[in-house]
Structure formats: structure tokens, C-alpha cells
Amino acid sequence: MTEEKLNTSGLEIPKELENVIQLTTLDRIYNWSRRNSVWPMMFGLACCAIEMICTAASRYDLSRFGMEVMRPSPRQADVIIVSGTVTKKMVPQIVRLYNQMAEPKYVISMGACANGGGPFKEGYSVVPGIDKFLPVDVYIPGCPPTPQALLNGLITLQKKIDGESISKVRWYQKNVEEGIPIPVLGPDLMDPRQYDDISRFGRIQSPEIVDDDHIKNEELDENDTGVAS
Amino acid sequence: MDGSGIIRGLLIPLKHFFVTYIDDLKWLGKKYFKPEGISLRSSAETRGIFTVQYPEEKLPVPEEFRFIPFLVYDEGQDGSRQIRCTACGICTKVCPPQCIWIERHNDAETGRPVSTPVSYTIDIDLCMNCGFCAEFCPFDAIRMDHDYELANTNRYEHDVLQLEELLKPASYYASIRPENYTREEVRKAEKLASKTIKTTEMDTANPN
């Protein structure tokens, strides 16, 4: 798909050398080689996982995008597809798996539940959106997304990888990140002593904003009932 | 003999491998990236491999396929938009995950409610594609869309749809769900006809 673009470096080649030399930039060739070998982790949570399995099978065939091998080990995977409802019991394991993945690593949030909690958003046992804990790269709405919608999400991820630059991506910065603090199973999931660390990753900016979010949700609920009445 | 089942099983993919090429020759140039090709490969007659080459060709979705709701508006003669939604709030009540928020306003002068929504918000990351809103809407104003290519990199920008993003013309609805559309139009016309008959009867009964 981007093979045509791969050798357009923006530099001029003398006419007599056009058939001999191909120029490209380091970023472009690096992104090109990486975008075509994004290996997902063999990891499914709920009904969206069935669609993911279907996508990997011969009918839709992920391997056309260089994603043929679902790796059962996080050490060998490049992308974690969070496919399904994220329960409070499962989120520590998901964060642990994410921490164990080798960089560069990406997160795809697949389906309504992983994006924002979906129908279970106020469930006592469900995390309303994995983006509270992991830096999500691509969101795929749908309940569940069809295999073609998932493929569309993976193509979106490839486009995102195309736009990256080695000098800017966060895993090549000088101050190497620590892993994301692993949530603890319990009503709050977060260890209050780790709020500063958590705020650097997920959507949650600081403990104060967590409280604000809660208040905002309550306001929305009030509006909702006010309209309906 | 032991193991003969395994050999017979392994022959099946081998058969598929050869059948694919035979079938490709038979349907030369027509099997891929063409509507007839994709309908052949989704039918029971398909032989060999049958992978959907997704970005280049897409599986046709059935009429009743439902993904995300959208709001229907009628196009007036002069190109004006007549939003069917009356902000009655039935969809917000029936929505199981409660992903719809409607805001309506009262007329500043009369103080009576205006029959169009001021804002209409659907968080499609909560929507579970059940279609209850479309089922319950008494004004045929909200319908389920066929578009599933909604992947994005920022949910807060792209997945919380506002009124303007949700509005789509009735012609679009007719194009994705022709059978439903004609059924609804016929029903509406019948209703209107019976109404006019009734009023004319009333008029003839009481000329004053």
C-alpha cells in the first residue's frame, strides 16, 4: 500500500541515476517495516474476542496485513487488542501484560465495553473503559465490531504508525518510563500512593480530576431525567 | 488403519488449495473485487479459499444490519431540513445502556416546549446496537446505520456524536434500507388518508 510512498524522500535524484538509486528517510523505512509486522497478543476477554478470532481466521485473514501470528506471550507481541468487557478482576492482569510487552507497543480498544464501559458502564464489577489505565491508540466502536470494523481499526493503527517519528515516540526518550502501576483488586482499583504515577499514563490526570469526573457524571444523569420528564 | 483419518483430514486443505486455482480459472477476472464475485464467495456454492479482501472489497451488509443510530431528517422543497425528532425522550427512556441525551427548550415567548431537540448526544461507546430506539420511536426519526468504519484515535472527539453528526437525510435512509423505508411510507400514507377521510366525514356531518 505505501510501497509507492516509501521511496519519496523529498530529495532530488539526478536523472541518470533514477533507476539505480532509491532514497528514503529513516523514519519512513522504519515505520514501513514495523507497520507491516504488527503482531497481536493472543488475548481475549468477552464476546468481542469471538469477532477477533473470526478476523484472524481465513475468512478475513489478518495475515494480509502482516499480523498473521497471534503471540501467546506478551514479550513477542506488538499490539494488545483489549477485546471485551474489562472487569475489575481482570484489569490488574491486563496492565501486567501490557507492562511485559516489549516496546514499541500499542493498545487497541475494541468494542463498546473496552472503550467506555458499554452497557455495563455502571456495573459494580466493570471498569468503564480501559483508557483509564492504558494509553489507548485506537478505539473501535461497535457492540461487537464486525470483523471488517476490526480490520478498519487495524488499518487505522497502521496509519498511526506511519505518522510516527523515531525522535518523538515515547519509548526512545531519554528518561525511560517505568511500567504502569498495576491496579489492585478492590473497590477503587488504584493504590492512592501511586496516583502520581497513574496520572502520567491513562486519561486520569490527577486525583482531583477523578472526583470532578464523578460529579460531571452525576450532573449528566440529572439532565437526562430532567429531559425525559 | 490407525492414522488414516488424519491423512484424510489433511487432504481436505490440499483439495481446497487446488480447487481455488481451478475455480479462479473458471471465473477468470470476475471472482475478486466485483459485486458478483463477492456474492458468489458469500454463497453456499463457493469453493476453495474465500477470504474477503477487506479494504478493497467489502461484504454487502444485509438490510437489517444495525450498527450506530442516526437521526433522519426530511428534505423540504426549498432544501430546508425538517428534523423528524420531536425531542419526546422515548429513546432515552428505552435505551438499555442509556447512551442518549436530549436537551429541549421552551419557546421564549409562549413558554411552551419547542418540538425540535436543541442538542442530541449519543455516546456510541456506550451504545450496544440493540435498535430499541429505532423500534420505539413513534416519529420514525431515529434509525440504525450501516456504517461500521468508525475506528479512531480519540474517543472523546469522534465517538460522542452531536446532533449535526447524527443527522442524515431520508434519502440516505431509503438507500440503506429500501424495504423498511417503503413499508413506512405506505403506512404513513394510509394513516394520512384515513385521517383526511375522517375529517371530511366530520365536516359533512357538521357543516358549521
Side-chain angles (χ1 to χ4, degrees):
Chain A
M1 268 180 268
T2 45
E3 268 96 335
E4 309 94 69
K5 280 196 249 160
L6 191 60
N7 56 8
T8 50
S9 61
L11 293 171
E12 252 180 57
I13 308 169
K15 193 115 191 164
E16 63 272 21
L17 290 176
E18 254 176 11
N19 296 325
V20 189
I21 296 177
Q22 297 289 326
L23 288 181
T24 185
T25 59
L26 189 60
D27 268 343
R28 200 166 280 143
I29 198 151
Y30 175 77
N31 288 338
W32 168 80
S33 56
R34 217 149 44 76
R35 80 195 277 280
N36 289 316
S37 65
V38 185
W39 288 357
M41 186 147 70
M42 191 185 279
F43 165 74
L45 290 172
C47 27
C48 283
I50 306 298
E51 298 290 316
M52 186 181 72
I53 293 159
C54 176
T55 316
S58 62
R59 180 67 163 160
Y60 296 96
D61 202 7
L62 276 183
S63 60
R64 293 180 295 126
F65 304 96
M67 304 175 182
E68 57 267 53
V69 251
M70 286 240 175
R71 296 271 85 176
S73 158
R75 297 286 184 209
Q76 299 163 350
D78 299 303
V79 57
I80 176 171
I81 303 177
V82 183
S83 52
T85 319
V86 184
T87 54
K88 282 186 179 171
K89 193 155 187 178
M90 198 63 195
V91 76
Q93 279 73 274
I94 296 170
V95 174
R96 195 182 291 270
L97 284 170
Y98 178 79
N99 282 342
Q100 287 172 350
M101 281 164 71
E103 279 150 348
K105 51 189 174 182
Y106 300 94
V107 182
I108 288 182
S109 168
M110 178 189 180
C113 293
N115 286 359
F120 313 112
K121 66 178 190 292
E122 277 147 12
Y124 69 95
S125 62
V126 171
V127 179
I130 190 64
D131 55 359
K132 286 200 163 64
F133 295 93
L134 301 182
V136 176
D137 291 293
V138 173
Y139 297 90
I140 309 170
C143 187
T146 57
Q148 296 186 59
L150 174 58
L151 288 181
N152 184 42
L154 291 167
I155 292 166
T156 313
L157 177 69
Q158 287 190 328
K159 280 180 192 152
K160 185 173 177 167
I161 294 173
D162 276 341
E164 279 178 349
S165 163
I166 300 177
S167 57
K168 282 179 195 142
V169 285
R170 65 171 195 276
W171 35 80
Y172 295 132
Q173 301 304 313
K174 257 185 187 158
N175 38 355
V176 180
E177 294 169 352
E178 299 292 312
I180 295 178
I182 291 166
V184 280
L185 179 60
D188 299 327
L189 283 175
M190 278 173 253
D191 188 342
R193 290 165 296 180
Q194 292 180 322
Y195 275 155
D196 285 344
D197 291 336
I198 293 164
S199 63
R200 284 192 287 120
F201 297 97
R203 181 163 58 89
I204 301 165
Q205 298 300 312
S206 68
E208 292 87 57
I209 291 178
V210 179
D211 291 339
D212 277 354
D213 266 358
H214 185 62
I215 293 160
K216 266 181 209 157
N217 283 341
E218 272 184 3
E219 277 173 7
L220 277 178
D221 287 347
E222 274 168 25
N223 282 343
D224 182 29
T225 48
V227 168
S229 61
Chain B
M1 195 189 80
D2 281 349
S4 64
I6 294 174
I7 291 166
R8 253 184 292 139
L10 286 173
L11 285 176
I12 292 171
L14 193 67
K15 194 180 119 197
H16 283 177
F17 179 75
F18 287 114
V19 158
T20 305
Y21 289 101
I22 297 166
D23 218 42
D24 274 2
L25 284 177
K26 209 171 109 192
W27 288 83
L28 201 67
K30 275 190 285 183
K31 206 180 170 192
Y32 301 100
F33 313 125
K34 298 252 165 63
E36 65 260 37
I38 194 106
S39 66
L40 166 82
R41 283 184 293 137
S42 2
S43 69
E45 272 86 60
T46 184
R47 299 168 79 230
I49 55 161
F50 53 101
T51 305
V52 179
Q53 310 285 331
Y54 162 66
E56 287 86 25
E57 59 176 16
K58 289 165 191 170
L59 272 190
V61 288
E63 181 168 341
E64 296 299 336
F65 176 74
R66 47 176 207 259
F67 213 70
I68 301 298
F70 69 98
L71 291 173
V72 187
Y73 70 82
D74 291 308
E75 286 155 307
Q77 299 283 334
D78 51 344
S80 65
R81 272 190 341 191
Q82 290 150 0
I83 300 171
R84 288 187 186 176
C85 178
T86 58
C88 65
I90 290 176
C91 45
T92 59
K93 278 182 189 164
V94 297
C95 180
Q98 306 209 320
C99 67
I100 305 176
W101 291 272
I102 307 177
E103 205 180 308
R104 72 172 168 206
H105 266 205
N106 291 342
D107 197 310
E109 286 176 19
T110 56
R112 304 185 66 176
V114 181
S115 69
T116 45
V118 175
S119 79
Y120 197 109
T121 310
I122 296 183
D123 189 344
I124 60 171
D125 281 338
L126 305 180
C127 175
M128 60 188 237
N129 315 150
C130 64
F132 277 15
C133 47
E135 200 77 26
F136 278 88
C137 183
F139 304 100
D140 300 336
I142 186 165
R143 284 292 175 260
M144 303 305 276
D145 206 344
H146 279 181
D147 182 22
Y148 51 81
E149 290 164 325
L150 300 162
N152 57 68
T153 51
N154 189 341
R155 129 173 171 74
Y156 303 96
E157 269 177 32
H158 297 101
D159 286 1
V160 186
L161 302 181
Q162 303 296 333
L163 185 64
E164 284 306 312
E165 295 157 288
L166 286 164
L167 281 173
K168 282 174 185 175
S171 55
Y172 172 77
Y173 176 47
S175 70
I176 61 165
R177 290 173 189 268
E179 280 177 34
N180 280 278
Y181 180 75
T182 39
R183 202 187 311 137
E184 276 161 24
E185 288 304 302
V186 166
R187 203 189 61 214
K188 239 184 254 174
E190 277 170 6
K191 212 173 174 182
L192 196 72
S194 68
K195 217 180 201 174
T196 44
I197 288 165
K198 248 183 210 165
T199 45
T200 44
E201 274 172 5
M202 293 266 280
D203 287 346
T204 45
N206 317 313
N208 297 332

